[in-house]
Amino acid sequence: MHSLLFILCIIISSCSVGPDYEEPQIYEDAQISQALKLNNNNLQIPQDWYKQFNDKTLDNLIKQALENNASVEQAAAKLRQARAVAAINKTEYLPMLNSQAGYNYEKASKNIGLAADSNFFQLGLDASWEIDIWGAGRRLNEQSFAQLQEASYSLRNVKVMIVAETANTYFLLKTALAQLQIAKNNLKLQQDIYKTVQEKYDAGLADDAALNQAKYVISTTQASIFPLEYQVEAYKNALAVLAGTLPDQLPKGLTSFSNNPVKKAAEYNMKTLYNLPADIIRTRPDVRAAERALAAQNAAIGQAVAQLYPNVTISGLFGFQSAAGSKLFNTQSQAYSYSPSITLPLFNWNKLQNNVKLQKYIKQEALANYRQTILSAVEELGNAMVSVQKEYAANDSQRKAVQQMRQTLQSMRQKYENGLIDFSQLLQTEQNLLTAENALAASNGNLYQNIIAFYKATGGGYN
């Protein structure tokens, strides 16, 4: 009879109410691939993609950021919390066993008639088990495991963002340094031109307007240097926050003009840009985290449904009880009890039914968030690929413009020194060169930033 009852409990407890989870196919991979014009080739993208820039300073900054960044530490702590919660919830519907011991002494009142003082000793084991008949425990474990996976993907996503943000800020710093160097070099050129104008002025070959124009250009360039110096310090401070350190503890030579990668365009094989697999979007950690959040909420519905059904609990006690401590462990002091109970929700003002509705509504929100995350990921990757393409085309034009303006300035300066043109023409040419050089430096920096955005949009690595 007892064996039959045990088997019956096992069979009943294999039931799980509520909807079983199936990952929703909001958009087929083929649809996403077509929308992004992917070639469906398995382009391998390593997680340390930033090492392709061959910049040891950047490598060290990213390594430091991954180890010390506060956002990474917070996400890692959340992952550890989720792991602990999963371990706790795994035991929620298992039999629990506690030991208990007690002693009670009672002195009777003399005003209640015949009464005697009493001693009571007790030692034993107390067991209880809420049988998981409707699968609430299994749904709880499903939810906990999905939340654990969500936390794991969230940590990975934070790392992807921190790596990209560190690399992006690093090249913003280098771009500001390149433009600062351009401004200082042009200042020297303008001061040299001013000397030529001064000599012509002293010889009566130039008027006040030319001399004042030369002074004005020098003052304007000097004024443009201060905002660039501020940008350098601001980007340096931003890198310190990302690296989880103080600005003076950043790598030495970070703001040096030498070995600036932004002086030339970043190298990338454009033929491989669209060689991505169809599932590149679904493998992104933010998309996976959103999907796991949806799975966790689906399990919460099952838990809510299980509360609508009867709940069976078995509790028992085995131990020793005696009025005398010396007889506590006597065989005649043995005592035990067991008490199965069943609880059936009858009337609760539709509280439990409304909770089921609530969990379903929350799932609808999670589903909408999952869909929005996929769409945002598609947008991000699509924009990143197009921006890399277009920036390379713009960069080529900017590089040619700088070459042409340098040749033009050299020619115009010779003509001015020989009195063939007036100063305003030389001044305009010099300003055009400054504009072209700044635009080329900005374009070089944009190339690095767009390539970084591309790698981030792929999920920070794909294998």
Side-chain angles (χ1 to χ4, degrees):
M1 183 65 182
H2 290 84
S3 299
L4 182 61
L5 181 61
F6 177 76
I7 294 173
L8 183 61
C9 289
I10 295 297
I11 294 175
I12 293 177
S13 62
S14 65
C15 170
S16 293
V17 296
D20 291 330
Y21 178 72
E22 293 182 5
E23 183 175 346
Q25 296 298 318
I26 298 177
Y27 299 104
E28 298 290 341
D29 288 340
Q31 292 177 289
I32 295 176
S33 178
Q34 182 179 0
L36 293 174
K37 301 180 177 64
L38 303 181
N39 295 330
N40 294 329
N41 294 328
N42 287 326
L43 176 65
Q44 304 297 307
I45 301 175
Q47 291 189 355
D48 57 352
W49 50 264
Y50 50 88
K51 289 187 177 180
Q52 73 164 13
F53 297 132
N54 296 317
D55 193 317
K56 295 297 183 183
T57 302
L58 175 61
D59 295 347
N60 292 332
L61 279 171
I62 290 177
K63 181 176 181 293
Q64 190 174 3
L66 290 175
E67 292 175 351
N68 300 327
N69 183 270
S71 296
V72 174
E73 291 178 354
Q74 291 172 4
K78 289 182 178 179
L79 175 59
R80 290 190 288 268
Q81 293 170 28
R83 186 177 292 119
V85 169
I88 293 171
N89 290 342
K90 184 182 288 187
T91 65
E92 187 70 21
Y93 285 83
L94 295 178
M96 298 295 174
L97 183 65
N98 298 309
S99 64
Q100 61 177 6
Y103 167 70
N104 180 66
Y105 172 76
E106 181 178 349
K107 180 174 178 58
S109 170
K110 296 180 179 180
N111 293 327
I112 62 174
L114 297 176
D117 298 347
S118 65
N119 288 300
F120 181 74
F121 297 85
Q122 179 174 310
L123 176 65
L125 299 175
D126 183 12
S128 63
W129 180 26
E130 181 180 342
I131 302 176
D132 188 20
I133 298 177
W134 310 111
R138 288 183 292 281
R139 294 303 189 194
L140 179 61
N141 288 333
E142 286 179 22
Q143 182 185 37
S144 300
F145 185 66
Q147 289 172 336
L148 174 58
Q149 291 177 310
E150 178 191 359
S152 178
Y153 285 121
S154 295
L155 172 58
R156 181 182 166 193
N157 188 52
V158 169
K159 288 182 177 181
V160 168
M161 291 190 295
I162 292 300
V163 168
E165 188 66 23
T166 301
N168 191 64
T169 306
Y170 176 77
F171 286 111
L172 283 172
L173 169 65
K174 292 301 182 180
T175 301
L177 283 169
Q179 292 177 325
L180 178 59
Q181 187 175 23
I182 290 170
K184 289 185 175 182
N185 290 340
N186 272 273
L187 179 61
K188 292 179 182 179
L189 175 63
Q190 291 162 0
Q191 289 171 339
D192 189 34
I193 292 175
Y194 172 76
K195 291 179 182 179
T196 301
V197 177
Q198 182 70 55
E199 291 173 357
K200 282 181 170 288
Y201 179 80
D202 293 339
L205 301 176
D207 56 11
D208 291 342
L211 187 65
N212 289 329
Q213 279 183 317
K215 290 179 180 179
Y216 168 78
V217 171
I218 291 174
S219 299
T220 301
T221 302
Q222 286 175 331
S224 70
I225 288 175
F226 300 116
L228 290 171
E229 289 176 336
Y230 165 76
Q231 287 182 19
V232 169
E233 288 302 311
Y235 291 136
K236 181 180 177 182
N237 292 335
L239 279 174
V241 174
L242 287 165
T245 187
L246 297 174
D248 61 349
Q249 296 175 342
L250 290 171
K252 302 299 181 183
L254 185 63
T255 56
S256 172
F257 288 133
S258 61
N259 300 323
N260 191 337
V262 175
K263 289 182 179 180
K264 61 180 183 180
E267 296 180 0
Y268 185 82
N269 185 1
M270 292 296 295
K271 294 180 180 179
T272 66
L273 187 63
Y274 286 85
N275 289 347
L276 296 173
D279 65 343
I280 188 69
I281 294 298
R282 295 189 202 283
T283 60
R284 283 179 38 139
D286 57 338
V287 174
R288 295 303 301 161
E291 185 274 331
R292 288 290 83 197
L294 177 61
Q297 184 53 40
N298 185 81
I301 296 175
Q303 296 174 57
V305 173
Q307 294 177 357
L308 299 173
Y309 295 91
N311 177 39
V312 176
T313 302
I314 300 175
S315 60
L317 172 68
F318 173 80
F320 301 89
Q321 297 175 344
S322 175
S326 59
K327 297 181 180 180
L328 181 61
F329 295 103
N330 192 298
T331 56
Q332 295 181 351
S333 297
Q334 291 181 0
Y336 69 90
S337 66
Y338 60 89
S339 55
S341 64
I342 182 170
T343 304
L344 176 63
L346 294 178
F347 183 73
N348 47 52
W349 302 98
N350 286 332
K351 175 182 177 181
L352 301 181
Q353 290 84 349
N354 285 327
N355 184 42
V356 173
K357 293 180 181 179
L358 172 62
Q359 301 308 321
K360 289 181 178 180
Y361 295 148
I362 297 176
K363 181 185 175 181
Q364 291 177 2
E365 179 186 0
L367 180 61
N369 179 67
Y370 178 47
R371 177 173 176 269
Q372 181 62 41
T373 305
I374 291 177
L375 290 175
S376 298
V378 171
E379 176 193 23
E380 185 179 354
L381 182 57
N383 290 344
M385 291 189 294
V386 172
S387 64
V388 171
Q389 277 186 315
K390 300 304 181 183
E391 193 60 53
Y392 264 110
N395 186 266
D396 185 61
S397 297
Q398 290 291 351
R399 179 176 51 80
K400 292 176 180 178
V402 169
Q403 293 174 348
Q404 293 165 355
M405 287 311 304
R406 284 174 179 169
Q407 294 173 356
T408 302
L409 178 63
Q410 184 178 2
S411 174
M412 296 294 283
R413 186 169 182 180
Q414 291 176 350
K415 289 182 179 181
Y416 174 73
E417 290 174 351
N418 293 328
L420 300 177
I421 60 172
D422 58 30
F423 179 69
S424 62
Q425 292 175 285
L426 175 63
L427 178 63
Q428 184 62 50
T429 304
E430 196 277 333
Q431 289 297 99
N432 289 343
L433 174 60
L434 175 60
T435 301
E437 288 180 336
N438 271 320
L440 179 60
S443 179
N444 288 345
N446 288 339
L447 272 179
Y448 281 100
Q449 293 166 48
N450 292 342
I451 291 172
I452 292 167
F454 167 73
Y455 285 123
K456 176 179 177 289
T458 64
Y462 179 87
N463 191 323

